[in-house]
Amino acid sequence: MSDSELAKLHEAALKVLRQTGIYVNHSDLRKILSDAGAVLDEERKIVKFPASMVEKAIEKAPPGFTLYERGNRSGKITLEDNKVFTHTTGGASNVIDLDNRRRRNARIKDVERAARLINVLDNVHAFSPLVTPTDVINGAEEVEMVNMAIRNTNKVIENPVTSATEVDFLFRLFAAVTGSETELKRHPSFAVSVSPISPLNFDKGSSSAMMQSAKRKLPTKLLPAPIAGATAPVTFAGALAQQHAELLAGLTILQTVSPGLPAVLSPRLSVMDMRNSFVSWGTSELGRASAAAVQLINELNLPSDVYGLSSDAKALDEQQGYEKSMNGILPALAGANFLSGAGGIESLKSASLAQMVVDNEIFGIILDTIAGFRVDADTIALEVINSVGPGGEFIKQRHTAEFARKGEQHEPELSDRSTWENWVDGGKKDLIEVATERARSLLADSEPLEIDPVTLKSLDEIMEDARSYFKEQN
């Protein structure tokens, strides 16, 4: 979009917040916002934000921050400028079984396997627990997912929260495995995400979760998920304006409660097919929506996280290949800081470990593409060109070997670049077979993390408290 178009959308979002306002179903939060300068309609629970209040929140929010792998300070994710990182999808209710390739309900064991697998996937940098398990106590899903993730991956972990209670349990888990609350704040390895309900509805759960995550100083992702044509205007510009207003409202809440809190704007605009009311996650509009949202966020100089490898395909097939690649490369080129989606299929209703392996490959190609290439005297290689001359060959040149070893060309792990004869001799395996075998092999060589007994005891005690609490709520 042009600068003038970006300005129009930003101004439209400010007008939505100033004239329409947001619904906030939390009396304490409404008072906090009112005391800070928001206009309150207590009877309707509507909060309206003056533009100056929103602009102050943008100024208070850090333009970037760093998340750290546990036990590996060099494995850090610094969200700033146009640096791009990736993470898995999260919350799928079904899984494609790695052993029989059948679709079934997700289990807590699937979170464990996914966490162990991501540890050895170099192009997937953070773990959002892949699935929501159906075999744990109702209400305890998010806490169980994080507990299992902590024990099986040292990569950065992020997870959604829907209440203050969930935030508190996750904070206790984070602090226990990090060593202390002080160390957790100094070198955060975790983030939480909160989703308001579009349009413009900050329900009691999301409001309380946002307040608590801000009070706990946890890096927080704001994740509105409007649907164009259903919970947002069907027009692209209108849906973007509303989504941007929801992001700015969430940011203003966080920065009012806890000025300077690390926050990531994580828009999740999707599109309803108006012919059949199906919400599509593989349509070409999704990649454009993500790229456009990133442009708006970049104007604020704040970190972003958007859909990346999303697809409506039900299998690991050609459709998922072109949809994921298309929807991933557009926001990457726009300058997104985080791309999501590794492991997701079927409009993110299902997840697959074999798909995680394929998506690691796709992310690798995307990251290699946006990295560009060096242009200097060594890479232009005029002396080599002159030395070889017309009709010569470059394969024997020292320059060729040197730069080939340095990674001048992208080297895929899954793509078959052999001859037809070699492919036939190897069993004529398609991508599903190759990825499935690769996932099984990586899992066979993986093990849970080594965690000291004292920390394990603390984690066990926290989980005992959590299970007891959620069992009582049922």
Side-chain angles (χ1 to χ4, degrees):
M1 292 183 291
S2 67
D3 289 345
S4 63
E5 289 171 330
L6 292 169
K8 286 179 183 178
L9 287 172
H10 181 70
E11 181 57 34
L14 293 177
K15 284 184 178 179
V16 169
L17 296 179
R18 185 170 66 248
Q19 297 175 357
T20 308
I22 63 170
Y23 177 79
V24 179
N25 190 16
H26 197 293
S27 58
D28 291 345
L29 180 55
R30 290 197 301 273
K31 185 178 187 309
I32 290 172
L33 295 173
S34 177
D35 290 345
V39 178
L40 174 62
D41 181 341
E42 181 61 30
E43 183 177 352
R44 297 172 57 222
K45 301 179 182 178
I46 296 295
V47 177
K48 299 180 180 180
F49 298 102
S52 59
M53 186 175 178
V54 178
E55 297 296 347
K56 286 180 182 177
I58 295 170
E59 293 174 3
K60 292 176 184 175
F65 62 94
T66 300
L67 296 165
Y68 299 85
E69 287 189 9
R70 300 198 330 270
N72 179 21
R73 293 284 166 75
S74 62
K76 59 187 180 182
I77 294 174
T78 300
L79 302 174
E80 62 182 10
D81 301 326
N82 290 329
K83 293 181 179 178
V84 181
F85 299 92
T86 68
H87 64 84
T88 55
T89 192
S93 55
N94 305 292
V95 70
I96 306 302
D97 195 289
L98 193 61
D99 297 323
N100 57 32
R101 300 185 193 173
R102 294 176 182 171
R103 181 178 183 266
R104 59 167 172 78
N105 289 338
R107 304 165 188 157
I108 193 64
K109 185 72 174 177
D110 297 315
V111 178
E112 176 189 351
R113 299 179 84 190
R116 285 164 52 193
L117 182 58
I118 192 181
N119 255 359
V120 290
L121 298 181
D122 292 338
N123 300 318
V124 188
H125 306 116
F127 184 62
S128 180
L130 196 67
V131 296
T132 299
T134 59
D135 58 345
V136 298
I137 297 170
N138 183 46
E141 293 89 349
E142 309 298 346
V143 183
E144 293 282 6
M145 290 152 63
V146 169
N147 172 60
M148 188 59 75
I150 282 174
R151 297 167 188 251
N152 290 280
T153 183
N154 58 8
K155 290 194 175 182
V156 170
I157 297 171
E158 56 175 63
N159 205 76
V161 285
T162 59
S163 69
T165 301
E166 285 181 352
V167 173
D168 285 339
F169 277 124
L170 296 193
F171 182 81
R172 289 175 61 188
L173 289 171
F174 297 159
V177 77
T178 304
S180 69
E181 294 184 11
T182 301
E183 182 61 17
L184 175 61
K185 293 173 183 176
R186 184 182 295 122
H187 295 106
S189 299
F190 309 93
V192 296
S193 61
V194 183
S195 295
I197 301 172
S198 297
L200 304 168
N201 183 344
F202 287 73
D203 65 315
K204 188 171 184 178
S206 62
S207 295
S208 63
M210 289 178 66
M211 286 182 64
Q212 199 65 6
S213 65
K215 290 177 181 177
R216 292 290 198 179
K217 309 295 183 185
L218 286 172
T220 303
K221 294 188 173 185
L222 298 165
L223 205 151
I227 304 169
T231 60
V234 70
T235 53
F236 212 59
L240 283 169
Q242 179 192 301
Q243 176 179 254
H244 199 56
E246 291 167 343
L247 289 167
L248 293 176
L251 183 70
T252 303
I253 290 171
L254 291 178
Q255 298 305 319
T256 301
V257 176
S258 180
L261 181 77
V264 182
L265 304 188
S266 308
R268 293 292 190 271
L269 175 61
S270 58
V271 177
M272 174 178 283
D273 188 327
M274 304 310 294
R275 296 168 300 177
N276 55 23
S277 299
F278 176 78
V279 179
S280 174
W281 301 67
T283 177
S284 61
E285 286 89 353
L286 203 73
R288 284 190 287 147
S290 295
V294 167
Q295 280 191 276
L296 283 164
I297 295 168
N298 285 347
E299 289 293 299
L300 307 177
N301 194 28
L302 294 173
S304 61
D305 179 328
V306 294
Y307 288 134
L309 307 189
S310 52
S311 172
D312 295 324
K314 314 303 184 289
L316 206 164
D317 59 10
E318 292 84 356
Q319 180 183 342
Q320 66 82 23
Y322 67 73
E323 287 182 346
K324 285 191 172 227
S325 297
M326 172 185 63
N327 287 326
I329 192 63
L330 286 177
L333 291 171
N337 294 120
F338 254 130
L339 298 176
S340 70
I345 63 170
E346 192 200 347
S347 311
L348 305 188
K349 297 180 182 70
S350 296
S352 161
L353 298 185
Q355 184 68 60
M356 273 183 67
V357 173
V358 173
D359 291 344
N360 180 68
E361 185 101 318
I362 296 175
F363 273 146
I365 295 169
I366 290 174
L367 293 171
D368 188 63
T369 299
I370 62 176
F373 51 87
R374 277 174 51 195
V375 179
D376 56 26
D378 286 341
T379 60
I380 293 175
L382 285 178
E383 292 184 4
V384 181
I385 296 171
N386 183 56
S387 174
V388 172
E393 61 178 37
F394 289 82
I395 195 167
K396 296 179 180 179
Q397 297 297 312
R398 182 184 299 274
H399 180 274
T400 301
E402 178 185 348
F403 279 89
R405 293 191 185 102
K406 288 181 178 179
E408 186 70 12
Q409 298 175 346
H410 178 73
E411 296 183 8
E413 295 183 8
L414 299 181
S415 300
D416 188 329
R417 293 178 173 174
S418 64
T419 64
W420 177 273
E421 290 75 16
N422 287 340
W423 176 67
V424 171
D425 290 343
K428 298 192 292 186
K429 295 177 182 177
D430 60 19
L431 183 60
I432 297 177
E433 293 178 272
V434 173
T436 299
E437 289 179 3
R438 178 69 172 157
R440 288 173 179 165
S441 174
L442 292 172
L443 281 173
D445 293 336
S446 70
E447 294 182 357
L449 298 181
E450 292 186 8
I451 301 177
D452 67 88
V454 174
T455 300
L456 280 176
K457 185 174 184 294
S458 296
L459 294 176
D460 290 340
E461 290 173 350
I462 296 167
M463 289 309 301
E464 185 177 341
D465 290 346
R467 289 165 185 150
S468 176
Y469 170 83
F470 287 110
K471 189 174 182 180
E472 288 180 6
Q473 299 306 302
N474 292 320

